[in-house]
Amino acid sequence: MNTGDWWKKRTLKQKAFFFVGLAAAIILCVLAGLHLSGSGNAERKNTLALVQMYAEKGEYDRAMNLLDDLLVKNADDKDALSLMDKIIALKEGKKQSSADSAGQPDVNVNIDTSGITKAVQSSLDSMKDELAKSNAATQKNQQAVTDMIEKENRQAQKEQEAAEEKAAQDKAAEEKRRQEDAARKAAEEELVRKNKAVQKEIQTVNDEIAEGKTALATGNIDSALVHFSTAQKNLPISDGEPAFSGSKYSQIASLLYDASQNASDAAQKKKLEDTAVVYAQSAVSKTPADAAPHYILGMNALAEKDRQTALDELTKAVTYDNSNYIYFYNLGKVQYLLRKFSEAGASFLSCVQFKKDFSPAQYNLGLTYLRMGREKEALDSFRKARDIEPRYEKAYLEEARLLARRGDTQGAVSAYNNVIRINNVNGDALRELGTVYFAAENYGASEDSYRKALALLSPDEKDPATYYNLSTTLFAEKKTAEAVAYAKKAYDTKDALRDVNAEANVVYNYALMLDEAGKNDEAIPLYSEVLKLNPNHEKTKINLGVMYLNMNPPDIDMALKLFTQAYNQDKNNFEANNNLGSAYLKKEDYKNAILYFQNALKLDPGNNVVRSNLAQTFAGDGQYDNAKTSYLELIKLDNNNWDAYIELAKVCMSLKDNPSAEKYLLYLQSKQPAYRKIEVDNLLSAVGGKN
């Protein structure tokens, strides 16, 4: 067997796919994670830019809210955390600056491309065959690559989701107010019964609070604050202290806080929140066991990114009112942000126990289960959320990601299509659906999904991950020219990935596509570029090594250097072992060739090409008994390997076993009379047989 053929056939050029994965939460990313989402990354960059704009305008709270959304999706988002610290410092009148710098190792492989094209053409042709064979492995890699960049929904979708959750919380707040008002009324009636003298004062306070409530409803904030201040001046009422005063402070705080959540103007919102906090602090000083003011203080601390204070205050809120589902819900969100996933799960469970149809709690419970590695329970929670709210887009999306990760292709496709049914411009769902279709080898549907996702991009928006994935899909469809074009688009926009390993994979993919198109001189320097980005890129080292090995004359030492580097990175790398064996065989270093061929055969015992190369090496080293054993095993496993019969006959002749040599040659002649006829006739003459 010609070893050069082996190198050509066995060169593995596997396309490494990006993957996301958020998921987890993925939003907060586990698939995430994952799937590498260029569009999602662009959205994240836009959000960060918007945060900076708000900060420069002094609208710190709006900036804080956007950052909170990012951190809910990914509590480890370093950029968001850094901006958060800077904005808090600005609010306190401090200045903070930081500078980040990063460097990448510059490993330069200098390659003389002159005269290479003709020399490496035959190896590259076979490398292309192997590239096509690597599609199966590519499917596994695609999800991993597309998971490496953070993902987020488009701003319009995000606003819609926030509005839905806001509506649910408003409804909960209204129910909370109703219960609180009933409790206050009962307490006041009891107080009146005890002391008729305070009845007038109570009425005055209540009238002022009622006037303030009406003013808030009509948007007259200043008037409302005046009425609340007047009510406060009529406190304390001696016989009602501290219960009555604490109750009134709490009521006013709740009215102001609820109004702040509905305010559209940032300045008004800030004014209402700050005043609500003042009244809430007065309330807890009078009645520490009142849950409502603790809740307000907790939510204010959360808005200020003081998560520990938020945790303390919201814990007190659920302690003093352990049946209020909205308290448990927001406590769970804070616990999740603090990575206290077990506690967060318990809070969300308490929430849904008190409010079974509260879909946001079911959704967040699902995200928490994902973080805890409890995928079955997470899937159940996502499904409950979308059963409660049939248009719960995010719940369908997380369900789809989870099903895809678990290998349920049909279920994942169905869930992704539900997302698209609700929102047909959800780019994340389209990209991830394309990945699922690719893994199922439904390349036409995969191409369609990726193209739809790209059609959603604005004119100045780039999505290197989707260009990359579409190129590999087109290659699988044998649409080589288009595959090369999209591989180049991914290469030209790779800087948007902001991840050096992802960039290396894009460059590597483009090099492979150029190989397929026969543009070898362009492919070779790209391999060198891969090693600059990622000096440990094994496939590039192996491919370059094969090129050096097949030059005319071959540069065996350079090939050995590259193969050895790949082997040292992973001693169980089949390609590294087999190519080392081939290089040492070409150098006639039989001992090392045998060692690495044996390693390769252990890694792939059914590989008869390696077995043939090992037998050839034994023969070259004069180990004829071992060569004979290897050839006999080879023809046992592949009795139509006619080259093996000829080589086995030669080995038998070297062992002075001419009868056996004749037997194998005559068998070959009876089966394939024309196969290497002149050589077979000469060998038969040499052993004394007929020809």
Side-chain angles (χ1 to χ4, degrees), residues 5 56 229 241 378 430 555:
D5 289 342
E56 291 170 359
S229 178
E241 277 293 320
L430 288 166
D555 187 342

Side-chain angles (χ1 to χ4, degrees), residues 245-267:
S245 296
S247 171
K248 296 294 106 176
Y249 282 127
S250 178
Q251 183 180 5
I252 294 170
S254 295
L255 289 169
L256 289 168
Y257 181 77
D258 292 341
S260 74
Q261 301 309 294
N262 294 317
S264 57
D265 180 79

Side-chain angles (χ1 to χ4, degrees), residues 62 94 148 167 183 260 487 490 506 513 587 607 654:
R62 296 186 73 179
K94 298 179 181 178
M148 296 176 70
S260 74
V506 166
M513 295 297 174
K587 198 173 184 179
N607 195 308
S654 297

Side-chain angles (χ1 to χ4, degrees), residues 537-669:
H537 203 281
E538 295 177 25
K539 299 300 181 185
T540 295
K541 292 177 181 179
I542 290 171
N543 291 346
L544 278 175
V546 170
M547 290 180 180
Y548 281 114
L549 200 59
N550 285 278
M551 288 180 181
N552 188 17
D555 187 342
I556 300 176
D557 289 337
M558 188 61 182
L560 282 171
K561 178 181 178 181
L562 290 164
F563 293 148
T564 300
Q565 288 177 1
Y567 172 82
N568 288 336
Q569 288 174 222
D570 180 7
K571 291 182 170 52
N572 291 321
N573 184 314
F574 171 84
E575 290 296 324
N577 278 284
N578 186 63
N579 282 294
L580 276 169
S582 298
Y584 279 118
L585 177 58
K586 199 165 229 182
K587 198 173 184 179
E588 297 185 358
D589 182 346
Y590 298 116
K591 295 295 187 293
N592 277 315
I594 289 169
L595 170 65
Y596 290 107
F597 280 138
Q598 286 176 331
N599 288 345
L601 197 57
K602 289 175 184 176
L603 294 168
D604 187 2
N607 195 308
N608 287 330
V609 179
V610 178
R611 185 170 278 104
S612 176
N613 286 341
L614 178 59
Q616 179 185 349
T617 308
F618 277 135
D621 196 36
Q623 298 185 43
Y624 298 117
D625 286 333
N626 286 335
K628 180 178 180 180
T629 299
S630 296
Y631 278 125
L632 286 172
E633 181 67 15
L634 179 58
I635 62 175
K636 178 181 177 182
L637 296 170
D638 181 8
N639 60 11
N640 291 327
N641 190 326
W642 310 120
D643 291 311
Y645 285 97
I646 295 173
E647 299 306 319
L648 176 57
K650 292 178 183 178
V651 169
C652 289
M653 292 171 67
S654 297
L655 290 169
K656 309 301 182 184
D657 184 2
N658 287 352
S660 293
E662 182 180 17
K663 176 180 69 173
Y664 296 123
L665 292 169
L666 290 174
Y667 177 79
L668 167 62
Q669 199 174 58

Side-chain angles (χ1 to χ4, degrees), residues 31-90:
L31 190 58
L34 353 23
H35 186 275
L36 189 157
S37 170
S39 178
N41 181 59
E43 290 297 328
R44 173 179 169 281
K45 288 167 63 180
N46 289 340
T47 300
L48 291 173
L50 189 58
V51 168
Q52 291 177 338
M53 182 189 76
Y54 284 148
E56 291 170 359
K57 291 183 176 181
E59 296 182 12
Y60 302 127
D61 295 291
R62 296 186 73 179
M64 287 290 197
N65 288 336
L66 291 176
L67 288 175
D68 194 39
D69 289 339
L70 288 178
L71 290 168
V72 167
K73 296 175 181 177
N74 179 5
D76 296 326
D77 190 324
K78 293 182 179 177
D79 292 335
L81 289 170
S82 177
L83 276 175
M84 176 193 75
D85 292 338
K86 292 178 182 177
I87 293 171
I88 290 173
L90 285 172

Side-chain angles (χ1 to χ4, degrees), residues 114-256:
S114 61
I116 259 183
T117 302
K118 181 178 179 181
V120 304
Q121 183 61 55
S122 61
S123 67
L124 288 173
D125 288 342
S126 294
M127 289 162 64
K128 297 164 194 171
D129 292 338
E130 192 63 26
L131 176 60
K133 295 178 185 178
S134 69
N135 281 337
T138 300
Q139 297 167 12
K140 180 179 179 181
N141 288 337
Q142 187 180 22
Q143 191 74 20
V145 177
T146 53
D147 241 343
M148 296 176 70
I149 302 296
E150 302 158 310
K151 306 178 64 60
E152 56 186 281
N153 296 320
R154 293 184 176 276
Q155 188 64 27
Q157 172 192 349
K158 202 165 76 171
E159 291 174 356
Q160 178 184 350
E161 293 163 356
E164 290 173 355
E165 182 167 335
K166 176 67 171 53
Q169 293 205 40
D170 286 346
K171 183 178 178 182
E174 182 61 33
E175 175 62 19
K176 176 174 71 71
R177 286 195 297 271
R178 188 191 66 76
Q179 294 176 357
E180 291 170 352
D181 288 344
R184 290 190 188 98
K185 184 177 180 181
E188 290 165 11
E189 290 174 349
E190 178 63 21
L191 183 59
V192 169
R193 284 193 296 271
K194 289 182 178 180
N195 189 350
K196 295 291 184 180
V198 300
Q199 186 173 5
K200 181 178 179 181
E201 289 86 345
I202 290 175
Q203 189 61 49
T204 299
V205 171
N206 285 341
D207 287 346
E208 291 295 334
I209 292 176
E211 291 289 338
K213 182 177 180 180
T214 300
L216 283 179
T218 59
N220 195 339
I221 295 174
D222 291 336
S223 176
L225 294 179
V226 170
H227 284 295
F228 292 147
S229 178
T230 301
Q232 180 183 9
K233 290 174 182 176
N234 283 276
L235 297 171
I237 300 170
S238 60
D239 198 31
E241 277 293 320
F244 182 76
S245 296
S247 171
K248 296 294 106 176
Y249 282 127
S250 178
Q251 183 180 5
I252 294 170
S254 295
L255 289 169
L256 289 168

